[in-house]
Amino acid sequence: MPELFAGVHRDDSNFPVQFWGSNVPQAWAAGSTFALVQALVGLEPDAASGLLHVNPHLPEWLPDVELHDIEVGGQMFDLRFTHDPKGDGFEVLRGPRERVALRRAVES
């Protein structure tokens, strides 16, 4: 994703001003999409134990998310997360179901 987005009307009498590096992806910007998805589904891999912990919290405008080819501890997973007002859920589409665990946040 570009670092800078702009929308300026263009005609024959004007031209865009050069902004060096404006279209060069920055590591933080490129990684922000993955960090957002990880936060939405609560993805916590534990490779040493071969476990994948999840805790989905999808917003109302995002009814479901599918993630494919997640590798944890030498195992491959495909997961589908769904939004439900009573509590978001998940389904293991590929991989050993017993290696994926729901981890709810502890409320104090």
Side-chain angles (χ1 to χ4, degrees), residues 51-55 90 97-103:
L51 295 173
L52 182 59
H53 299 281
V54 297
N55 185 11
F90 73 96
R97 169 61 181 94
E98 67 277 2
R99 307 310 297 168
V100 182
L102 182 63
R103 178 180 283 177

Side-chain angles (χ1 to χ4, degrees), residues 33-52:
T33 302
F34 301 104
L36 175 63
V37 171
Q38 184 177 10
L40 288 173
V41 299
L43 200 62
E44 293 182 39
D46 181 356
S49 300
L51 295 173
L52 182 59

Side-chain angles (χ1 to χ4, degrees), residues 1-88:
M1 290 187 285
E3 177 182 346
L4 177 69
F5 292 96
V8 179
H9 177 72
R10 185 168 181 185
D11 58 31
D12 292 336
S13 65
N14 65 7
F15 61 94
V17 177
Q18 290 183 346
F19 182 72
W20 300 111
S22 64
N23 291 323
V24 177
Q26 302 292 318
W28 63 266
S32 64
T33 302
F34 301 104
L36 175 63
V37 171
Q38 184 177 10
L40 288 173
V41 299
L43 200 62
E44 293 182 39
D46 181 356
S49 300
L51 295 173
L52 182 59
H53 299 281
V54 297
N55 185 11
H57 292 283
L58 301 181
E60 290 182 20
W61 53 264
L62 186 62
D64 60 52
V65 172
E66 282 192 22
L67 300 179
H68 296 270
D69 298 328
I70 303 169
E71 185 174 358
V72 178
Q75 301 173 77
M76 296 297 286
F77 296 94
D78 292 346
L79 303 171
R80 181 171 188 257
F81 300 90
T82 54
H83 173 72
D84 186 329
K86 298 176 186 172
D88 292 349

